[in-house]
Amino acid sequence: MNGRKLAGSMIPVIPPAILIVTLTLIETVTRMEILPSLFFPPPSAIVSTLYDMTTEGELLDHLSATVLRLLTGFLLGGIPGMILGMMMGWSTAIRRILDPFVAALHPVPKISSLPIIMIIFGIGFVSRTIVVAVASFFPMLINTMAGVRQIHPIYFDVARNSGASRMQILRRVVLPGSTPFILAGVRLGLNVSLSISLAVELLLADKGIGTLIWMAWQTMRIEELYAAIVTAALVGISIRLFVQVMLDRCVPWATKART
Amino acid sequence: MGFQCKDLGVTYKTQNGELEALTDVSFSVRDHEFVCLVGPSGCGKSTILKLVAGLLEPTLGTIAFDTVPANGRPRNAMVFQEHGVFPWMNVIDNVAFGLEIRGVPREERRAIARRFIARVGLSHFEESHPHELSVGMRQRVSIARAFVNDPEILLMDEPFGSLDAMTKMVMTEELMGIWSRQRKQVLYVTHDIEEAIMLGDRILVMTGRPGRIREEIEIRLPRPRDLRDRDSAEIVKIKEHVWEILEEEVRSGLREGS
C-alpha cells in the first residue's frame, strides 16, 4: 500500500478522532479548573445531567413540545409554500405577478412579526405555531420554485410530444424533477422552524426546549442549560439525517449521478 | 404518410426586437422516406422539428399531413440529442412513458416496452436508471421510446451528436437496422454530412440564419448501406458538394456575426 492510499483510508477515522480529542481536552481543562466549572461544566457532567433529566425530569415532555411545534408549524407553512412555489416555477405569469411580494417579504426577519401575531391570535399555541409556519413558508417556496425552474425544458417537450396532459406533466415531470430541490427546502424549512420554535419558547412558552433553556438560565443551573442546548443540537442533527435518508430513498438519481 | 411544409416562417420576439429564425421553408417528406436536414449551427434545424412535432406554432406558413386523424395531428415521436430520457425513471418506465400517457395498462405497456428494449440491446438494464448508463445507452433508450409509440413520423434532433465516433458508427448502423424493419417517415437533423449521406434518401441543406432550404440532394445509394464505403467515389462527390455549400454559409455567417 502506498502512502497516498494509506492516507486516504484514514480519512473516515479523522472526524471521530477530532471529536474524542476535543472532548477529552475540554474534560481535562474543566476538571483541572483551568476554566471555571461554574460556566464550563465538563462534558461528562453534561451527559449525566442529560441522563438524569431524561429519566427523572421532564426533558422528554419539553422535547416533544418543541418537536410538535416545529412540525406543525413547518407543515402549516411548508405545504402552501411548496404549492405556491410550484405554481410560480411552472408559470411565468404567476411568477412575474408574485415575485415582487416574495422578494419584499422574504428578507423580513419572521420573529419580528410575533408581537403582531400575538395581538391578533393571543399568546397561546396558535400564535406560537403561526410564526413558525410563516418562517418555514419562504424556504419551501423559494426552493420549490428554483427546483421547477431548473428542470430542463426538453423534459417538458418530451412529455408534451407524448401528448401528456398538464396533470400528467405535473405528476411525471414537475414533481419528480424538482424533488431534490424540494428536499433541500425541507431541510432549510425544518431548521428555520427549529430556530423560531426555540426563540418563541424562550420568549413566552410554558413548555419546550427553549423554555428549559430559559428556566435553567434563570436558576443558574448551568449543567441543565448545556444539556438543553445539546438536546436542541440533536434535533437539528436528526433533521439533517432525515433529509439525507429521504434523498437516498426518493432521488437516488440526483444524489448518485453527481458522485 | 408523408407531409408537406409550405412557406414556414418563425420569428421570435426578443429584448432587442424581432429575430427571424426561419423564412420561406418549403419541403415535403414522402411515404417511408428518410430525410436529413443539415446546416450551419443556429440555422433553425431543430425549430423545424418542433414545428412538425406541434411543439411550436409557425409564425407563417402551413404543414399539411397526408392523412389527419380526428384528434388533430398524426402521431409523431421526437428523439433529442440529450436530456431526452427522464433521470427519475428507470429504463422500462422511460420507454413505456408514451404508452402510460395514452392509458395502456401497466402490464401490457411493460410487455411492449420490453420488446423494444430488447431490440436496442438493453434487456439487462430494464430496471436501471439513466445515471447508471453510458451516454450511448441512454440514446438507445430514447430511440426505443420513440419506436414504442409506433409514430407515423419520427423526428430526430442530432440523436448521436454527443457520442464518440465509434459508438456513433455502431448506433447509426443499428438505427438503419431498426428503420429498415419499420419504415417510418423520418426527419433527421444532423451537422455530420457523412451521417446524413449514410442515412438519408434525401438531404436538405440549409442556409445560415434566417434558415431557408438552399438545396435538395437525392441520395441514390442502394440499401443497406455500409458505413465502411464512405470513401467510395460517389459518396465523396456528394460530401464535397454539400461541404462547399455549408462552408460558404458558415463563412458568411461568421462575417455577419463579427
Side-chain angles (χ1 to χ4, degrees), chain B residues 109-120:
Chain B
R109 66 175 187 250
R110 286 172 71 92
I112 301 171
R114 272 198 199 96
R115 257 199 347 259
F116 283 86
I117 292 170
R119 209 170 286 178
V120 295

Side-chain angles (χ1 to χ4, degrees), chain B residues 9-12 18-24 60 209-211:
Chain B
V10 170
T11 308
Y12 293 111
E18 294 195 332
L19 179 75
E20 203 175 18
L22 286 178
T23 181
D24 290 331
L60 291 169
R209 190 158 54 212

Side-chain angles (χ1 to χ4, degrees), chain B residues 43-59:
Chain B
C43 73
K45 302 185 288 280
S46 307
T47 307
I48 293 180
L49 291 192
K50 285 192 172 182
L51 291 174
V52 178
L55 294 171
L56 190 73
E57 283 298 315
T59 317

